[in-house]
Amino acid sequence: MDKNSRDKLPTDQFWFAYKTKDGLLWISTWGSDNGIYNLYKINPYENKLPYHNMKEWVFAFAEDSAHTLWLGTSEGLIHKDSTGKEQQFLIDKNSPSLTSRSNDTSVNKNIIICLAKDKENKFWAGTPHGLYHFDPITQKFTRYHHQAGNAGSLICDTVLSVNQNAPGKLWVGTLKGLDLMDINAGTFKHFQNDPKDSGSISNNVIEFIIKDRNNKLWIGTNNGLDKLDGQSGHFKRYLYTKAAVICMMQDSDENLWAGTNTGLYKYAEKK
């Protein structure tokens, strides 16, 4: 926070940023001010920094086909229409709310950690209690979860990242490995770290998944960055043992940027 700035920021702690198709930048905060979280809407062509007071902690963003914003929050899914009106969708209407960071997340069933829109304008939501598919038309959530004894079920109910890079397939990052979901069958193929296999995924904590412009899949893990070889099913490791990769993006020059716990890394693949 700049003490000399005219526009004071309530907090210096920020969590996630997302740019919509109209060029606006949305940023959620990590810390709260008396239980109120702030959602910033930034127009790069203006000097003002307007923000919206939120009762919910915003973890994830997505944009639908009408270019309106959806938020994955500590209190379910929130839709902001073109007029700014908000509509909330809860996974479990009887679940107690998450009022502070000290609360037990195992109690709150409405936390949405990650969010992604599919080709049908529906949404995949990762939560601490499984994977959900949300249909905005019916306003219903369909749950997929780990089932003991069922090898084709979700490998772990704590879902940290989702990415659909091919029709009928969904990549799911969890606390216990990477899953490839066959959406039509509702089954999951598992990828886990094998200490004896350098071609296995670096770590089982999957923080982020991204597909680049050449349709290559990159996986941010708690122990480095991996690229999947679609032919062999093996992973090539980058930043191994050097960093936990929290988030990634690709710029207009096809450079890959990775935000980690040890700094920001840029990777330019040789052509």
Side-chain angles (χ1 to χ4, degrees):
M1 225 184 307
D2 185 354
K3 295 181 179 179
N4 299 318
S5 174
R6 294 180 184 177
D7 298 320
K8 304 293 184 181
L9 297 178
T11 179
D12 283 333
Q13 302 177 76
F14 298 93
W15 178 247
F16 204 87
Y18 182 86
K19 187 176 78 169
T20 50
K21 293 284 175 34
D22 54 10
L24 297 178
L25 187 66
W26 296 82
I27 301 177
S28 63
T29 60
W30 171 267
S32 66
D33 182 15
N34 294 322
I36 300 296
Y37 299 91
N38 293 313
L39 177 65
Y40 290 87
K41 177 183 177 182
I42 301 174
N43 187 330
Y45 304 104
E46 296 180 357
N47 293 324
K48 294 182 180 180
L49 192 63
Y51 61 89
H52 306 268
N53 289 331
M54 302 280 293
K55 294 181 180 179
E56 303 84 9
W57 199 351
V58 180
F59 296 108
F61 297 85
E63 188 176 3
D64 62 22
S65 57
H67 305 309
T68 61
L69 194 66
W70 292 78
L71 311 174
T73 80
S74 57
E75 302 299 334
L77 191 61
I78 293 178
H79 177 223
K80 291 177 71 70
D81 67 18
S82 57
T83 68
K85 182 181 177 181
E86 294 182 3
Q87 187 175 8
Q88 183 183 45
F89 303 94
L90 297 175
I91 296 171
D92 184 350
K93 295 179 181 179
N94 297 317
S95 174
S97 64
L98 186 70
T99 56
S100 72
R101 260 184 274 173
S102 62
N103 283 117
D104 184 0
T105 57
S106 65
V107 175
N108 185 311
K109 305 298 183 182
N110 290 308
I111 299 172
I112 294 177
I113 300 172
C114 56
L115 191 63
K117 183 183 76 69
D118 64 17
K119 304 297 183 182
E120 299 177 346
N121 208 39
K122 299 176 183 178
F123 295 90
W124 291 97
T127 82
H129 308 285
L131 174 69
Y132 288 85
H133 196 215
F134 177 75
D135 186 337
I137 303 299
T138 63
Q139 300 183 5
K140 300 292 184 182
F141 288 92
T142 301
R143 184 185 181 217
Y144 299 87
H145 62 99
H146 175 71
Q147 301 170 42
N150 182 357
S153 69
L154 185 66
I155 196 169
C156 172
D157 280 342
T158 302
V159 178
L160 304 176
S161 182
V162 289
N163 185 286
Q164 186 176 11
N165 72 335
K169 304 291 183 181
L170 182 76
W171 289 98
V172 184
T174 80
L175 272 183
K176 295 184 178 180
L178 177 69
D179 269 1
L180 176 59
M181 180 184 184
D182 183 319
I183 296 173
N184 293 327
T187 56
F188 298 81
K189 179 181 179 181
H190 313 310
F191 298 85
Q192 289 183 296
N193 174 258
D194 180 352
K196 298 179 181 179
D197 182 4
S198 61
S200 69
I201 201 162
S202 296
N203 189 272
N204 288 331
V205 179
I206 311 300
E207 300 278 5
F208 207 87
I209 305 169
I210 188 175
K211 178 185 71 172
D212 68 19
R213 289 185 180 84
N214 297 313
N215 289 321
K216 295 176 181 177
L217 195 75
W218 296 83
I219 301 96
T221 81
N222 218 30
N223 198 29
L225 174 65
D226 289 4
K227 181 174 69 174
L228 175 66
D229 184 324
Q231 297 295 323
S232 67
H234 294 157
F235 297 86
K236 184 174 182 180
R237 299 174 178 180
Y238 302 82
L239 302 177
Y240 185 54
T241 73
K242 292 183 178 179
V245 179
I246 310 300
C247 58
M248 293 178 284
M249 68 162 289
Q250 188 176 35
D251 64 24
S252 57
D253 294 322
E254 299 189 1
N255 299 307
L256 191 70
W257 295 84
T260 80
N261 63 333
T262 60
L264 180 66
Y265 289 85
K266 173 185 175 183
Y267 175 70
E269 193 165 23
K270 295 180 180 180
K271 299 181 180 179

